[in-house]
Amino acid sequence: MKSICFLILLGLFVNCCEAEPWKKHVIQKKTLGAINSALANDWNGDGHIDVISCFNHQVFLFSGPDWKSHSVFSLTNAKSRNKLRAGCIHSCLLDVDGDGDQDFVGSNNTVFWLECPDDPFQTQWTYHTADDEILGTHCLITGDVNGDGKLDVIANSGRNSGTKFPNSIAWLEIPENPASATSWNRHIFAREDAPGGSHYTGIADVNGDGRPDIACGAKGGEGFPGGEWFAWWEQPEDPTGIWKKHLLSDKEPGASNIRPADFDGDGIIDFFATRGHGVGVALFKGTGAGTFRKIEIDQEIAAPHSLALADFDGDGDVDAIACGKEADGIAAWYENTGRGDFIKHIVGTNQGSYDTRAVDMDGDGDPDILIAGHASKNIVWFENKLSK
């Protein structure tokens, strides 16, 4: 009897001492307004990751590792012809002016960029308009679209009215003198063939012709006719022209996020996709014949609005992380077996997200998870302890 009790107590002790695979850290506690996007970088070169985000009519820079907040720009000072909302719907980082530091590119009824100063924490950042004619930009990502060795910005114009470019997607080329330019060089590649509330995009050479292609999803539903699809656009020899649309599926209620990668190591691009205004995540597996086979990965996760790809467990293949958009959302990572099959693991609960990034937040060499809370109105990061 004593030996049985000892074994039970020993088991409890081992279970209590076993490290949890993910530890939650709070950068910004619950605040008044939704937080839709957050980005990470070491802006002051002190070896600690910092975080930047736009909410409550301000752009805040949080200095790591203690996360002291610094207001580096007020949206009331933005010189845009469009009225800005309280926060950006999405954002990305890009060295726009080529001075070696990361500038902030945001979407808030206008695509704009903030020029990072020499002292990023103590000096206000300088506002510049990139494009105030496209509207409904739900996503900003970077990529070298035309192969000139310089990063461009991909931005959707998802509104179906009020703009000269409804239901379209563009890539924006940085002008020669961005600090003095009034707008960037706009190239509409999906002209009025991205209806239904287009959301997030992904970029990769899908067909192996050496030119990057671009994928997107559209949620559809009431007020967004023509949506509920995932598709990719094939880049022609002239990237400034109209690209050819390839539909992956038009039966995807709430489609929002799609990212390309080779998940099974066969040299063919696949697509991992989430239905952020619906339910579930899926894989579109490339067959090598220009077609894709849809495989449901998770038919239970609710409103997985955000998506990021990384090798979270260090086994050499690409995994995925998604998180529900509501305050009671579930964050889950999908472990790739190496064959394009996935095992679902819960990272955290009661955490909303519009934006999720895979970033090494603590400098230990593995990707952690940075989440902008949206409905939960916070910014958090989950520490990756899978290999510890």
Side-chain angles (χ1 to χ4, degrees):
M1 183 67 181
K2 289 182 179 179
S3 61
I4 293 174
C5 291
F6 174 76
L7 289 173
I8 292 173
L9 290 172
L10 179 62
L12 291 173
F13 175 77
V14 170
N15 287 334
C16 289
C17 291
E18 184 179 356
E20 292 293 329
W22 301 94
K23 180 180 179 182
K24 186 174 184 178
H25 303 266
V26 176
I27 296 173
Q28 169 65 53
K29 295 187 293 185
K30 185 176 181 180
T31 185
L32 296 177
I35 304 179
N36 300 319
S37 187
L39 303 162
N41 180 62
D42 180 5
W43 271 278
N44 58 0
D46 65 353
H48 296 291
I49 286 292
D50 313 304
V51 169
I52 194 168
S53 184
C54 177
F55 58 95
N56 292 348
H57 302 281
Q58 304 284 321
V59 177
F60 293 97
L61 190 58
F62 298 86
S63 56
D66 59 357
W67 308 121
K68 180 181 178 181
S69 66
H70 309 258
S71 176
V72 297
F73 184 75
S74 172
L75 295 182
T76 59
N77 295 327
K79 295 178 173 60
S80 171
R81 64 179 178 177
N82 302 319
K83 183 179 179 179
L84 301 190
R85 297 177 178 178
C88 289
I89 196 70
H90 205 237
S91 57
C92 65
L93 297 178
L94 178 62
D95 183 5
V96 176
D97 50 9
D99 64 355
D101 53 32
Q102 293 294 302
D103 304 303
F104 176 87
V105 185
S107 170
N108 187 327
N109 282 335
T110 290
V111 179
F112 68 92
W113 69 282
L114 298 180
E115 183 180 350
C116 178
D118 292 336
D119 188 348
F121 291 93
Q122 302 302 324
T123 305
Q124 289 287 289
W125 294 36
T126 303
Y127 172 93
H128 304 276
T129 294
D131 195 319
D132 58 4
E133 293 189 89
I134 61 175
L135 291 176
T137 299
H138 210 92
C139 178
L140 297 171
I141 65 170
T142 61
D144 182 2
V145 175
N146 59 352
D148 65 353
K150 301 176 183 178
L151 289 176
D152 310 294
V153 170
I154 295 94
N156 49 346
S157 185
R159 299 272 181 87
N160 55 22
S161 63
T163 171
K164 294 185 293 184
F165 312 103
N167 299 323
S168 300
I169 312 176
W171 63 278
L172 307 177
E173 188 176 10
I174 301 173
E176 187 173 348
N177 298 302
S180 59
T182 56
S183 63
W184 290 14
N185 303 320
R186 180 195 316 114
H187 306 286
I188 303 290
F189 69 86
R191 186 176 294 276
E192 298 187 30
D193 66 347
S198 63
H199 264 55
Y200 298 100
T201 56
I203 183 169
D205 180 5
V206 177
N207 57 1
D209 64 359
R211 298 187 290 267
D213 310 297
I214 295 172
C216 189
K219 66 178 182 178
E222 185 177 355
F224 297 92
E228 301 187 359
W229 51 259
F230 289 112
W232 67 280
W233 280 260
E234 178 183 352
Q235 181 178 166
E237 290 187 10
D238 179 5
T240 65
I242 300 300
W243 299 18
K244 182 179 179 181
K245 181 180 181 179
H246 299 267
L247 189 66
L248 291 166
S249 174
D250 61 357
K251 297 176 176 61
E252 306 295 330
S256 62
N257 217 315
I258 183 166
R259 294 292 179 89
D262 178 6
F263 291 97
D264 53 8
D266 63 356
I268 301 169
I269 289 292
D270 315 297
F271 291 101
F272 199 99
T274 69
R275 305 180 193 98
H277 286 267
V279 177
V281 303
L283 180 74
F284 292 92
K285 178 176 170 53
T287 66
T291 59
F292 294 83
R293 179 168 60 92
K294 179 180 161 183
I295 303 169
E296 292 291 344
I297 302 299
D298 181 357
Q299 294 180 286
E300 295 182 353
I301 187 170
H305 201 276
S306 60
L307 173 65
L309 305 180
D311 181 6
F312 290 107
D313 52 3
D315 63 355
D317 52 36
V318 183
D319 309 303
I321 168 73
C323 185
K325 68 183 179 70
E326 302 302 333
D328 61 353
I330 291 175
W333 79 280
Y334 297 87
E335 178 188 359
N336 187 353
T337 64
R339 301 182 300 274
D341 303 315
F342 295 87
I343 302 169
K344 179 181 178 181
H345 303 275
I346 302 300
V347 172
T349 58
N350 295 317
Q351 178 59 55
S353 174
Y354 250 36
D355 192 21
T356 294
R357 311 276 174 159
V359 182
D360 183 4
M361 296 290 292
D362 51 9
D364 64 355
D366 56 24
D368 305 300
I369 299 169
L370 174 65
I371 291 180
H374 186 61
S376 53
K377 302 176 182 178
N378 61 355
I379 303 173
V380 303
W381 71 279
F382 287 92
E383 181 182 352
N384 185 348
K385 294 189 174 184
L386 293 173
S387 60
K388 296 178 177 63

